[in-house]
Each structure stands twice: as C-alpha cells, then as structure tokens.
Amino acid sequence: MVKVFERPKALADVPTHYCPGCTHGIIHRLIAEVIDELGIVDKTIGVAPVGCAVLAYNYFTCDMQQAAHGRAPAVATGIKRVCPDSAVFTYQGDGDLASIGCAEIVHAAARSEQITTIFVNNGIYGMTGGQMAPTTLPGDKTTTSPYGRDTSKQGFPIRISEMLATLDGPAYIARVSVHNVANIVRARKAIKKAFEYQLAGKGFTLVEILSTCPTNWGITPIEALNKVKSEMLPYFPLGEIKDIEAGEKK
Amino acid sequence: MVKVFERPKALADVPTHYCPGCTHGIIHRLIAEVIDELGIVDKTIGVAPVGCAVLAYNYFTCDMQQAAHGRAPAVATGIKRVCPDSAVFTYQGDGDLASIGCAEIVHAAARSEQITTIFVNNGIYGMTGGQMAPTTLPGDKTTTSPYGRDTSKQGFPIRISEMLATLDGPAYIARVSVHNVANIVRARKAIKKAFEYQLAGKGFTLVEILSTCPTNWGITPIEALNKVKSEMLPYFPLGEIKDIEAGEKK
Amino acid sequence: MGKVTFTEERCKGCELCTTVCPVKIVVMADKINSKGFRPATVSDMKKCIACAACARICPDAVIEVEK
Amino acid sequence: MGKVTFTEERCKGCELCTTVCPVKIVVMADKINSKGFRPATVSDMKKCIACAACARICPDAVIEVEK
Amino acid sequence: MGERILMKGNEAIGEAAIKAGCRFFFGYPITPQNELPEYMSRRMPQVDGTFVQAESEIAAINMVYGAAGAGARAMTSSSSPGISLKQEGISYIAGAELPAVIVNIVRGGPGLGGIQPGQGDYFQSVKGGGHGDYRLIVLAPANLQEAVDLVTEAFDLADYYRNPVLILGDGLLGQMMEPVEFKATKLRELPAKEWATNGLRNHGGKTNIINSLVLDPHGLEEHNIRLQEKYARIVEAEQKAEIVDCDDAELAIVAYGSTARIAKTAVTQLRQEGLKVGLIRPISLWPFPVKDFEKVIPTVKSFLTVEMSAGQMVEDVRLTVNGCKPVYFYGRMGGIVPAPEEIAAQVREILGGAK
Amino acid sequence: MGERILMKGNEAIGEAAIKAGCRFFFGYPITPQNELPEYMSRRMPQVDGTFVQAESEIAAINMVYGAAGAGARAMTSSSSPGISLKQEGISYIAGAELPAVIVNIVRGGPGLGGIQPGQGDYFQSVKGGGHGDYRLIVLAPANLQEAVDLVTEAFDLADYYRNPVLILGDGLLGQMMEPVEFKATKLRELPAKEWATNGLRNHGGKTNIINSLVLDPHGLEEHNIRLQEKYARIVEAEQKAEIVDCDDAELAIVAYGSTARIAKTAVTQLRQEGLKVGLIRPISLWPFPVKDFEKVIPTVKSFLTVEMSAGQMVEDVRLTVNGCKPVYFYGRMGGIVPAPEEIAAQVREILGGAK
Amino acid sequence: MILDVIMAGFGGQGVMLMGQLLTYAGMVDNKQVSWMPAYGPEMRGGTANCTVIVSDAPVGSPVVSEPKAVIAMNLPSLDKFEPLVKPGGVLIYNSSLIHRAPTRTDVRLIAIPANEIAAELGNTRVANMVMLGALLAATEAVSTSAVEAALKKALPAHRQDLLPLNLEAIARGRELVK
Amino acid sequence: MILDVIMAGFGGQGVMLMGQLLTYAGMVDNKQVSWMPAYGPEMRGGTANCTVIVSDAPVGSPVVSEPKAVIAMNLPSLDKFEPLVKPGGVLIYNSSLIHRAPTRTDVRLIAIPANEIAAELGNTRVANMVMLGALLAATEAVSTSAVEAALKKALPAHRQDLLPLNLEAIARGRELVK
Ligand SMILES: Cc1ncc(C[n+]2csc(CCOP(=O)(O)OP(=O)(O)O)c2C)c(N)n1
Ligand SMILES: Cc1ncc(C[n+]2csc(CCOP(=O)(O)OP(=O)(O)O)c2C)c(N)n1
Ligand code: SF4
Ligand code: SF4
Ligand code: SF4
Ligand code: SF4
Ligand code: SF4
Ligand code: SF4
Ligand SMILES: [Mg+2]
Ligand SMILES: [Mg+2]
C-alpha cells in the first residue's frame, strides 16, 4: 500500500491547543504541506502572531519567532532583510492583522517586502474570548457587540485583500476558504503560489483564508463551516485579487 | 467698492511659520473659507497633527486640539463622540496620516466616523527636514532616500484615497490640488462638500490635497507648483474617488 | 481499496470528517478517548476509495490514508 | 476696475501671485520688508480686473481684492 | 445604591465608572481585563453612553485624549503590554493636563509574558513609563469595594487636578467576584471645564486649545514648573494608605493591591502566633504615602515589602525609610500569587534572624 | 581608524554602529535625532547594509526584534515620544532576550514637548518604561568620543548578555560636532548565536524559537528568575562611572551625559575658587554605579545631583547614599541647558549653608 | 473562615454557576465571600474550576492552595484537586462519571452519583445542584434560605419555573450526605 | 579656554560652514573643539547660528551664554547677540548689511563690510570667509596653516580651485583688523 495522505513533516508531531473543529488546524497543515512540497523547511522562518495561533511556534518544525500583537509584518521584515534567501511567513488573525496591525501590513505590502502573509479571517477575536473583529459581519453578536454589530457606531467590515490590492507593492493577493475539501485544495494552491512568488523575489504575497471559530461563534464545527459558506462568502468573495503575473483580477 | 476677496474670519489674524510659497497656507485659508461660508466656526473643532502644520492650532479661530503624531483620527473620534453636533476635522500630513497613522485613518474610515480629514500630501516629511514619506515618488531624492527612492527596497508610494475608497465606511473621498487657481477653487468645493456631508451625518469624509514643500524639495515655490502638476498628478490622479451620493467614480 | 488510519488520541471529535466522505463510512465511535473526546472512525473500511477527503478536512491531522 | 491691497509685512516674497495675474500687473517690489522678504506689489492698479486670482493663490492671505 | 451586588472585578470597575458619570469608554481586548470593555459594550448603550472598540490601545488612549479634551469623563483599560503601547498617549494627556482614568489589570511580564496576575508594572505606573517629567495619580485597590470607591475618586481627582489617574489592579482583582456597594460620594467641589474644546458656542466664543507642545524652551520650562507645582500639591493632599496593627509592630509588611489582602491574612496568622507584625498598605502608589510611613518609622523595627514582582515598590519604601531601618523584600513573579503561609514564613525568618 | 574626524553626534553614533558591525538599521524621523537615520540611509548601502525607514517607531523596534532574532546586529534610534511608542517592543526584546541597541536622543517633554535637549526620560530608561520586570543596560555618553566608544561597547554587551542596550543621549549630544576617533576595541569573547532563527540549515536542523510567552506561571516565574540572575551578573560586572576630584571633596556633584560635561566646567571653576568639589559621573545608568559611590560616600560630605529634569536620577543617588549624607538636587527642564555658572552657584549656596 | 472550596469539572457542567450560587448565598447570609475563576486561554475544551470562600472575616487571598472542600465533577478534576484538600476536609466527587475511588484517607470522602440523580429528576443539567446540595450538607456553610434566595436571583425571569427542580436537586444532594 | 564664539546670520550666508571651518582648524591645531548648531523647526527662512569653542582643556558645555566673540552677519543677529558678548570680548558685524552701530562700549567692535569685499573678490558667497578672517585676526584662536588645512578638507574635490579665493577672502578680513 502507498501513502495517499499523511501528516506533513513541517507540522510538528504534537497535539494543538485549538478547539475541536477549529480550522486554524487545517490552515496549519496546508502551510506545512507547502513547506514540505517546496522542500524549504530548513530555510523557512515563520512568525507567530498574538491570537489563538500564538503557539504556532510549537507547531511548525521550521524556525519560528513570536511577534507582538499586530507586528508580525515588521518582525518578518527584520528577519527577511537579514536572511534574504529564506522563506519568511507571518501567520496572523483578523484582530492581529486588520485591527492593531493595520499599519504594519499596509506598509509591508507597500514596501513589497518579500514575505508571505497567511491571514486567517474568522471574523472574531478568538483567543480573548470572542470580541468583535474588524471583519465581523454586520449584525453579528460578539462579546463587544452584544446587540449585534451596528455599522453606524461600530463601522463596516474591512476587506483587507481588496484594500491591499490597491497598492503597487503586492505581487499576489488571494482570498480562499477552507469550508470544504474543494476549497481546501484551492487554499493550498494559493499558499503554494504565494511561497513560490516569494522565493522568486516577485514581492509581497498574502493569502486571506476564511476560517471558523466554533467556540466563540457559539455553534458546532459543522455549522461553522456552513456559516462561512452562507454568510462570509457573500461579504468576502473568494479569488485571486491581485496577481502581478496575470494583471488584476476579481 | 465691495470686497471681492478678503481674509476669512476663521483664519486667525497672525502670520504663519510656513516657508515662503508653502501651500499649507493656501489649504489653511480654504478650510477657513469653508468654515466661514457654512457659518460653523462656533461648532467646529479642529485637530492639528504633528508635522509642519503642528501649530495649526494657532491659525484657526475655532476650538483646536493638538494630536500625537498620526493619531488625529483617534483624537477626532473622541471629540466627535462627545460632541456629535459639532464639525470635527483633522489636518494631517502624509507622514502623519499615511505612515505612522495608517491604522488610525483606515479605522476611522471603516467606522465611518463622522469627521472630515484634510490630508495634505506633499510627498515628504516637511517638519523634520525632508525625509522620505510613503507618498514620495519613485526615484525622488530625500534625506532618507539619498540615492532616490528605490522601490525595490523602499517600497511604492501609497495612494491613500484609492485605498480608503475600498472601504464601506467613507461617504466622500476626493483628491484635489492647489497648484493653480482653477484647482484651488475645486479644492475649496471638495472641502465644502466634505464638511456638508459630515454635517448631514453621511459618514467619514476625506479630501487629499496635493501640496508643495519648496524648502525640502529644494526648488522655488513656482517650480514646486510645476512639480505637482508634471510629476505628482500622473501618480496621484485628481477627482472624486468616492461619493456615496453618486456611486464610485474615478 | 483504501485504508484510513486515525491517530485516535489526537481526535477532538469535531465530526468534520464525517461530513465529507463520499461513501459515508466515517462515523463517530462509541467511546471516549483519554482527552475526553468521542473520536471518529470508519464503519466499513472496504468501501473506502482513498480519496483523502476526510484527511484533508481534519483540523488535527488525525487521519492518514493509504491505497 | 479692481483694487488689490497687500498686507506687506505678511508677504514672504514667494512670487506665486506674480504667476497668475491675467493682466500681469503683480510684480515683486524693490524693497525688503521687516521680515527680510521682498514683498509683492501691483505695478499698474488701473489694469486690475479684480479676478482675485492673486489672492487665491497667496499662501499667506496677504492680498485683499475690492471692486 | 446601597444594595450589595455580587460582581466580577472588571465589571464592578466598569459599573463604578458609569455611576461616576463616565459616558465614554474606549478599549481594546486583552486578558485579563476583557470583561471591562465587554461590560461597557453592554451597558453604555443603556445609559446613552459611548463604547468604542478602538483598533488598538494606542487609538484608544488617543480617543480618550480627544474625548477628555472635549470635556467628557472618559476612560480606557488594558493590561500590561497594552498599557505599554499607551505610554506616548499618557505622556500627552499628562502634558496637556487632561483628566482621564486609565485602568491596568496587570499580568505577568515581560513581553507577551503570561495572563496570570502580576505587579511588575509598578515602575511604569509611578515613575512614568512615558517620556518626560510627568506624574500619574496611581491608585491600587485591594478588594472590589475599594476598587469601586477608588474609581469614583479617580474621576474626581482627575477633574480636580486636570491630571490622568491610573487604577492599578491585577488579574486577581479583575477576575474575582465579591459583593460591592455603589455609594454616592462627593468629596470635592469640581471646577467647571472652561478649557474644554467643545465648540466656541459652549464657552463664550474664546478659542480653546488642547496642546502639549511648547517650542520655546523657557515656555516649556515654565509649563513644567507649573506641572511640578501641581504634583507637589497632590503629594501634599492625596496620600492614602491603610495601616494595620503597626502600633507595637516589630516588623511591618508593606504590600499593595491583591498582595496586600494576602499579607493581611499572614498578619492575622502571625499575630495569633504572638508575633508583633503589622501591615502598611499604600493605596495611593503615587503620591507614595510617605506621611503614613513617617508615623510608623520611629517605632517599627524593620520592613518587609512583598510584591508580585522582582522588587519595584520596595525602592519607594527604601527611599521613604531612607536607611533608618532595614527594608527586606519578598517577591513572586510570572503570575504566581504568594500564599499567606509563604509571607508568614518570610516574616518568621526575619524576626528569628533579628532576635 | 586612528584618525580624528570632526562629526556631528548623531552621525558619529551611526558610524560607530557601522564600525561595530551593525548592518541593520530601522528608524523613523524625529528631531533631534534625524541625522542618525539620514546618515544610515547614506552609509548602509555603501557597506552592503540595510536601512529601512519604518512606518513608525513601533514598526522599527519590531523590525529590530526580527532582525536581532535572526542573529544580526540591529539598531534603532528615536527621541522621547518615539521611544515611548517602543516600550512594548522593548519589553518583548528584553523578554525574548535579544541583543539590540536602541538610541534615545532625548528632548523636552512631556507630550509633544519641545525639541531642545532634555534628560526627562531617565526613569523610563532605567526603571522600565515597558511592562514587567526587565532591565535595559543604559549607557550615557557625555561627549562624542565616549558616544562612539559606548556604541561599540553597547553591541558587545548586547551580544554578551543577550540583552537590549539603550544609549541615552540628548539633543546636545546629537547635534554638536566634536572630533572623534574610531578605535578597534575587543573586550570580550562573544558567544556564537546558536539560538538565532536564520533557518535550520544554518544551525544544525534543530528548530530555534524566539519567544517571550510562557503561559504556565511557574514556567514564567522561572524565566523571570533566570532574567533576574542575569541582571545580577550585569550589576556585578558592568558598572561604569567617572570620578573626578572626589578624594578631598566636601561636595560631589552627580550628573550624567551632557549635564556632566557642564558640571565638570563648574567643578573646575569652583576648585579655582578653592572650594573642595568633585564630580561623580555615572556612565552606566543601569546598572547604577553603586560601587563607585561606595568609594566616595565615606569621605564626601554631601551630594548635589544636577539633571535636565525635575529630578529622576536623584532617586537612584538617594537609594545609593541611603540616608548617610544629604543629597541635594538642581534641575532645569523644557530644553534649558544649565550653565556652569548656575551649577557653581548652587554649590556655593549649599557649601555656604553647610558652613 | 467558614469554608473555602474548589469546584471543578468539564466546561459545560455548570461549576462556575454553582460557585457563584454558593457565593451569593453566603452574601445573603451576611458573610464575607469571594469567587475566583481559574482563567486562561486554554479554558475552552478543558476543565473549568473556581474557588469560593465564605468567611466571617474579610477574605484575604481569593485563591487557596489547601481548600477545606473540593467538588470534583469529573476525573481530571479529581486527579488534579484530590491532593490539595486540607487534611480533615471534605472531597465530594461525582461517582456517575468518576469510576476510580479517591485514595486520600485523611479527608471525608463523599461519592454522589450526580448525573444519575439529575437524570432521575428529569434534567441532567442539575447535576451541579445535586453536588452543591451535598456540599451544603457536609459543611453547613450557608443557610437553606440563602441558597433559595440565591437561586431565585440567578434564574432569569423566564426561567423561574426551574426553581423547584433546582431546589429538589439540592435537597437530593443533601439527603445523600445526611 | 581660548575662544568661544557665536556666529549668526541668514540661512544662506554660510555661518554653519564658517563655524565648522574654525572648529576643524582648531582640531588641526590639536585643540579641544566643539561646534553646536542652534536647531529648531523654524530654522528655515529664519536666522541660523552656531557656537564654536576652541580650548586647551576638554570642552564643557558646547553652548555658551556669554561668548567671548560674536560674528553677526545681519541685523537680526546683531540684535539678538550683541547683548550677550562677554565684557572685554569682541563683536564683529557685517557693516555691508547692518546699518546701525552697536551700542556696547565694553567690548571691541569691529565693522567689516563683508559683502562688499566679497563682491570685490568676485564672489559674494565668500563674505563669511571675510568675517572669519577678521575673527582670526582679532582672536588668534587658530593658526593660519590650520585654517588652510581646514579649507582644503572642506572643499569638495571638484571645488579645490576655490581655495585661493577663500584664502584671499580670509586674508582681506584679517587685514581689516590689523
Ligand atoms: C498589545 C496587545 N493587545 C491585546 C492583546 C490581547 N489579544 C490577544 S489575542 C487578541 C486578538 C486575537 O484575535 P485574532 O487576531 O483575530 O486571532 P484569533 O484568535 O481569532 O485567531 C488580542 C486582542 C495582546 N496580547 N497584546
Ligand atoms: C511619535 C513621533 N514620531 C516622530 C515625530 C517627528 N515628526 C514630526 S513631524 C513628522 C513628519 C511630518 O511629515 P508630514 O506628516 O508629511 O507633514 P509635513 O511636515 O510634510 O506637512 C515627524 C516624523 C514625532 N513628533 N512624534
Ligand atoms: S477560540 Fe476560536 S479561533 Fe481560537 S482555537 Fe477556539 S475555535 Fe479556534
Ligand atoms: S518645510 Fe515644507 S511643508 Fe514645511 S512649511 Fe516649509 S515648505 Fe511647507
Ligand atoms: S479516504 Fe475518502 S472514502 Fe476513505 S474514509 Fe476518507 S473520505 Fe471516506
Ligand atoms: S475531523 Fe479529525 S478531529 Fe475531527 S472528528 Fe474527524 S478525525 Fe477527529
Ligand atoms: S485681482 Fe486679478 S487682475 Fe487684479 S492684481 Fe490680482 S490677479 Fe491681477
Ligand atoms: S503670493 Fe502672497 S506671500 Fe507670495 S509673494 Fe505674493 S503676496 Fe507675497
Ligand atoms: Mg480572529
Ligand atoms: Mg508631508
């Protein structure tokens, strides 16, 4: 018998602390698969955020740094400038990247920093117990939008990928999802392309991944995948939003 | 004889510290003219940035706050939430708004904070003596891009107006210029529209104004206006970039 | 014919794998693992077509697939 | 016929006003004000059409225009 | 009011702020203070107040600057790393002399550290984590009732002196539940906010300016001298401490906040053993309660400072005792809360050694 | 090397860093340190180094974290408000034990303050403006030659102890020109950076992790204990001070940085008048040069601390003198640089009063 | 000190609420009380616990290292907290879910088949109340009327009909200890 | 102390460079030297000034409140710095641009028509060198050869042809004082 599917080597052989059914786990595995496939584990340096993925430094077998909340792109800039031949990636949640770290991601993108950002958009602050994120959908209840996100006081969700795509710096920006197997396969392709572009020195790359937080959404993992499909997708359309090899797409 | 043109009342009757020919002065006057015309000096609160316009609090006759570098939109948020019936504006340079204050402006826009931002884009850090700004044109020499801005290391200029226009929050975003009289008149109209939208509660408004820095550009004021026209306009196209009353334009 | 192996102790019982099997053989077991979760298992291995859908959606890399 | 008045002490001699006058009567004076700048002035007021272009471009609100 | 309500610390602080008339809260999530912004997000809309989840702690403190400058009672809260981010803003608020209340529910540091209770931010709070010569009034409640009372007091002090006030709590205080009572207190006449930038129409047409920039060094020195004079008035008038059983004490434990309530248990145990031990509990960390120390220094033979840190407040104790008596230190770090027994053991060792 | 070159302070610091092997500079403009990033933007490309103008001081310090974590000699600089913004990042760097050099060219505060020289950031520098129990090694040069020498030393100390080092200058030091000489010095064997995250291929395949999070409080306490042990080693080994004319001194002026060079002129003047006055100039502000003080405390009768602040280092002087001798203070603020005559006058008054 | 107790169990077993009820009851009885949760980022999915103190004197530390009583709703909780009970104290464990016997000999051991009794009462969610009943019987820390008052307060307006069920559960727990 | 001097003028008059030259010359002469600019956000358009110290002993404060010498290149500078000159010191002012006489009687006053002399030499930009020459003659702070060395160093490679002109200007300044 041959192995059709096995745990990637770049994923450390330890259990994770993620809640049951949390798609952070899928995304971790996809990154590890890409690192394995490209054979770059010995020259990859990952940057863990502050967020549920803060312990990501325990889950990848490449070198890792843990960054201050929102500052992963700056930390990655420091690393990449020192190690220009490495593959440097940041792994960031929507609170981390779109809220407190907004300036850092915009400027890493504008500088066309040669890094890959994996942006895990689950529309909530998972780690701190379910507060509103910049990407929380209008009307959604969270612990800091207890009456539902009121856009007149609490603003509108930010579409980070579209926003960054207005810049000249990024080489590749895609929004993908992991709510079913077909999309997981597509997500993996996007991550791979992002790493390949980085290795080819094409510029800044970012893959936004729609993800779940069953715990703080207060629903089951299966229901959570359905919510991604039925509620998040309409607001956050999937696709390659910028690809310098292909011109702008939508 | 009748007065065809006189110093607006909202502009304090004091000399400014701006260099000869610096268009910060024109922009100040336009804001004051709009405040006069709308008759709102007694309910306007302005926020001065850190930048050459730091002393703006001395130049307007309305109430003023001086904000930490880049944080004017947050300060304005605080003011506006306390005084919802007032007209609150921030006056910010490109270093202040597009660099250190990038998160604050994105989020004020996303929240659709009911304020008006006057964004003075002169492509340089005027106050600190001519360092590179996020809007410095590729190839331009500044004291921190002494060999000319190298986009491969120092990134690409950010088009703030286009970037913010991807958000659902803003009601009005326009880019204008003050390099000649016709454009000065247009700039005034845009500022007025922004204030009117704010007063009508339509949402966040921003007017980006291309401006000069003869001192740090190292050219005469007249040459500086020409540089705006010939070099900045191609990179920063003028127009109403977002107007919720009219749909998106370009 | 395929063969799937579960690292049962790592399973968190999220049930996602049960939703994607084209031949509907991934089910929840009738036991609790040492972490207190009800792990997933395969009801009828012979039917497995080794498509790896279950493995791909598992957030905890619990599943290995052979053919 | 228009009339333009310069608050001469506020003029910084930037010369911007001299570039916009449709009748080309705004010129730099042959003196230095107390701030050390050469102020602008009007060479032939009779020609002024009170268009206020000079006033509009002046960064220092030096110019008032009457008609 | 008058009723005792069982509340979580973070929520009790929030409710106390609302009772004190605070209608503007700007915050950002961070453990272990999350229940405070969460509570405000529920309560503020009910009282016509404003809750804004800012994009960051920096934005939050600058929103407080704007709101306080416009004349409102405004507040923000965070925990250690988030408070570090606010340092520039705090220095601005102090420089511009704005009244505001800041809550720090301290966790273990440095860096990302941990999320269990800590007291490692004492230096940052009382010496100035930000730049320049400024002072925060720093109040450290030891239980929830005191937290509630001090929040009220904090808003009054802030308005009275036009100075930011920091409530220094910790994860223990933030997370625990205790009964509290919301009392209506009024200690001072507060000046009208004639300086507020809320539009000329609201203050007689004179332009108001909120600012901390003074380019002329002589002007800036004068501004600083005025600030220092104000700080001297605060030092004179606002020292607060609790002294327990110090009259005949051979040794006084010095502790603040959660550590102090544990130390109190230790004192009770030690007294039962017949050891003459007292407690000095600074309530105002700045101004440091020097006057209270002066009362006990003549009679107490030694001091043991206990902190959940490597030793920070102990410096102020040493400065106050100024070499007259030995000052010992016992600290736990990383989120470890010392047990009463541990503290008692330290005391026994010192007293044993002293005999 | 060996040649004396006339340079501006900010530029001399930059060149010294480059000579020390620093190839990564991340900065953001702010007066009065602008010439430092500007110099780096010119020089780094010439030496195959990297200059990045970060989007903010926060980004800059976090770039330093990343670069230092990857094993490079990295540096950032700013002035007071910008340094306040870096406090979270500094706490992280200290917590993750990364070697890095940070330069603060202090100006007048608080808030936006002014841009003339100040020393109001002493507390922030030595007590920890960030959260948690951590320490920076803080070095305060009094002239440009010393600035150059201390920058070299700073990089070595940082690497040796895996600890951030802060160079505390001020606008005077940053803006003035003096001749400097770049000497090749090598005081210590430095350990290899086996912990650097520069890719497994560069360090034998074991995963390296740069981190300051320890969720288990016992683990975090252990981490803190290790840090404190390191700090104790630094306190033991790295105190630096200059003592001038203290042998027979009735009064010793205590001053650091620019103020110390002015105080030195005052000492010369006073000695000419026949007054027995000396100077203690702390060079390492943390660790505070307690050992040097101990040498003079037995004989010197009183101390006068002079600072461009409302009185910050004077607390460490008091802690060191511990009540044995009177400690006086004289300070100017807002960017005013005290003149030697002013300082001399203070001394005369004290000595007159003492007689 | 009248009582300090650690209550522990799975996330959904209602240990936090049980603790708050006891705390509130103590308050009704005019005692000094405190409730302290164990908090952490890993609380989800894992076990939850809280510490309650009911006392005559002001509460010192709201966390205790040697509680007089422990309620263990599941095995991990028993494993973790059994060693901590103060000698002479009481350890109450949920024998419906815990199939190993505690090994301590210096404390009072009380096995309560809480889930089964709750199921008998028709609602497995009141297992925590059964345990609380046992604790009340074993320690007499607070009065019955205070618990009733606390329960009334804790139940939202539209759930007041659950009051009898909860009181019944507490009573059943009590009985098993007498 | 050999000399402390404040040099002041309009932005374009080269006072900063003049100060640096003197400083460099002092260094060549193996003196202790320092140069300190007045810096501020308003420097543009306004006046510029710097303080130079040449000394035998290490330089204390690089800023001085009572300089031994002042060079005033324009009227605002004279207005600002005339009062500061130390009694017995020297005040050198540019009589080409300054048409009022200084009022101090306790210092040596030297009027230098710097712009006119520079114009005579064919380049108004060397007015600063004329003033420097006057200062050197009045104070003898540094040697002529040191100034020459400093000038060589200061002029960029493609401007070394300006050396004679600058030396000439200095010489003319010197002459006016002798
Ligand atoms: C400076 C700072 N502010 C706030 C926090 C608290 N904090 C930790 S994680 C987090 C947000 C996590 O949300 P997100 O980035 O969306 O990640 P998720 O957990 O949802 O994956 C916050 C605010 C912190 N650690 N540091
Ligand atoms: C936190 C902080 N960082 C840096 C500075 C220094 N600083 C003052 S103004 C300025 C930039 C000014 O540029 P811009 O915003 O473009 O305004 P301009 O002067 O060009 O109008 C900077 C970096 C500061 N005062 N505070
Ligand atoms: S809290 Fe949400 S995002 Fe975090 S691990 Fe749990 S499910 Fe995932
Ligand atoms: S420095 Fe530039 S932006 Fe600033 S006032 Fe002068 S010309 Fe204007
Ligand atoms: S590999 Fe495919 S067929 Fe086999 S169990 Fe998994 S999902 Fe079902
Ligand atoms: S998807 Fe994985 S973790 Fe979830 S039930 Fe299936 S095997 Fe278990
Ligand atoms: S008003 Fe018009 S015509 Fe008259 S001087 Fe000005 S620009 Fe010329
Ligand atoms: S535009 Fe104004 S400041 Fe400029 S020269 Fe004309 S009048 Fe003077
Ligand atoms: Mg999230
Ligand atoms: Mg600018």
Side-chain angles (χ1 to χ4, degrees), chain E residues 98-117:
Chain E
L98 294 177
V101 175
I102 302 147
V103 177
N104 184 1
I105 302 296
V106 183
R107 56 193 241 180
L112 190 47
I115 58 176
Q116 303 302 320

Side-chain angles (χ1 to χ4, degrees), chain A residues 19 21-23 52 122 124-127 130 211-219 224:
Chain A
C19 302
C22 173
T23 45
C52 275
N122 59 8
I124 205 149
Y125 284 40
M127 184 185 216
S211 187
T212 64
C213 178
T215 300
N216 288 303
W217 292 359
I219 53 182

Side-chain angles (χ1 to χ4, degrees), chain B residues 7 19 46 49 66 74 90 106 149 151 153 158 196 198 241:
Chain B
R7 189 184 181 85
C19 302
Q66 196 292 315
T90 72
V106 167
R149 182 177 189 160
T151 53
K153 306 254 155 151
I158 298 179
E196 283 171 342
Q198 179 189 163
I241 293 155

Side-chain angles (χ1 to χ4, degrees), chain F residues 8-11 13 32 35 105 144 170-176:
Chain F
K8 214 174 194 193
N10 284 327
E11 301 190 341
I13 290 172
E35 297 80 4
I105 302 297
L144 299 203
D170 60 55
L172 212 66
L173 190 89
Q175 294 295 323
M176 73 181 296

Side-chain angles (χ1 to χ4, degrees), chain B:
Chain B
M1 282 192 120
V2 292
K3 293 249 159 90
V4 183
F5 192 97
E6 63 185 324
R7 189 184 181 85
K9 306 245 160 351
L11 195 66
D13 192 13
V14 294
T16 70
H17 70 293
Y18 298 112
C19 302
C22 172
T23 45
H24 266 305
I26 301 179
I27 299 166
H28 277 42
R29 201 196 61 231
L30 295 181
I31 296 168
E33 285 175 20
V34 168
I35 291 174
D36 279 5
E37 191 176 335
L38 298 173
I40 54 173
V41 71
D42 67 342
K43 63 169 184 172
T44 299
I45 302 145
V47 183
V50 178
C52 274
V54 65
L55 295 174
Y57 56 75
N58 286 331
Y59 302 148
F60 293 100
T61 57
C62 59
D63 276 354
M64 295 290 296
Q65 290 196 17
Q66 196 292 315
H69 191 34
R71 319 304 174 192
V75 170
T77 297
I79 300 170
K80 184 72 183 206
R81 297 290 180 126
V82 173
C83 306
D85 298 331
S86 299
V88 177
F89 75 93
T90 72
Y91 186 107
Q92 304 180 254
D94 42 4
D96 194 74
L97 180 142
S99 193
I100 193 170
C102 190
E104 283 74 15
I105 197 65
V106 167
H107 282 267
R111 275 195 312 271
S112 201
E113 213 59 60
Q114 305 284 336
I115 61 171
T116 297
T117 290
I118 307 297
F119 169 37
V120 180
N121 179 358
N122 60 6
I124 205 149
Y125 284 41
M127 184 184 216
T128 40
Q131 295 81 10
M132 189 183 76
T135 52
T136 296
L137 296 176
D140 269 13
K141 286 187 184 164
T142 69
T143 60
T144 51
S145 59
Y147 310 110
R149 182 177 189 160
D150 171 357
T151 53
S152 81
K153 306 254 155 151
Q154 304 186 293
F156 296 85
I158 298 179
R159 292 186 195 84
I160 285 289
S161 292
E162 283 79 354
M163 193 178 95
L164 297 180
T166 63
L167 301 173
D168 290 341
Y172 181 69
I173 297 180
R175 186 182 287 115
V176 297
S177 173
V178 290
H179 68 280
N180 61 26
V181 176
N183 276 286
I184 290 170
V185 172
R186 262 179 239 130
R188 186 181 189 281
K189 280 203 191 113
I191 294 170
K192 188 170 168 205
K193 195 162 174 179
F195 271 88
E196 283 171 342
Y197 276 35
Q198 179 189 163
L199 292 169
K202 291 196 208 286
F204 176 81
T205 51
L206 178 141
V207 181
E208 174 174 347
I209 306 179
L210 303 185
S211 188
T212 64
C213 178
T215 300
N216 289 301
W217 292 359
I219 52 183
T220 68
I222 295 173
E223 288 164 354
L225 294 188
N226 288 334
K227 182 179 160 94
V228 170
K229 186 171 164 215
S230 60
E231 297 178 31
M232 287 182 87
L233 286 193
Y235 208 98
F236 298 107
L238 304 184
E240 297 190 322
I241 293 155
K242 184 171 185 193
D243 180 347
I244 43 160
E245 299 294 304
E248 299 219 358
K249 303 187 202 174
K250 187 62 184 265

Side-chain angles (χ1 to χ4, degrees), chain A residues 24 52 92-96 120-127 133 135 213:
Chain A
H24 266 304
C52 275
Q92 303 181 255
D94 41 4
D96 194 74
V120 180
N121 179 359
N122 59 8
I124 205 149
Y125 284 40
M127 184 185 216
T135 51
C213 178

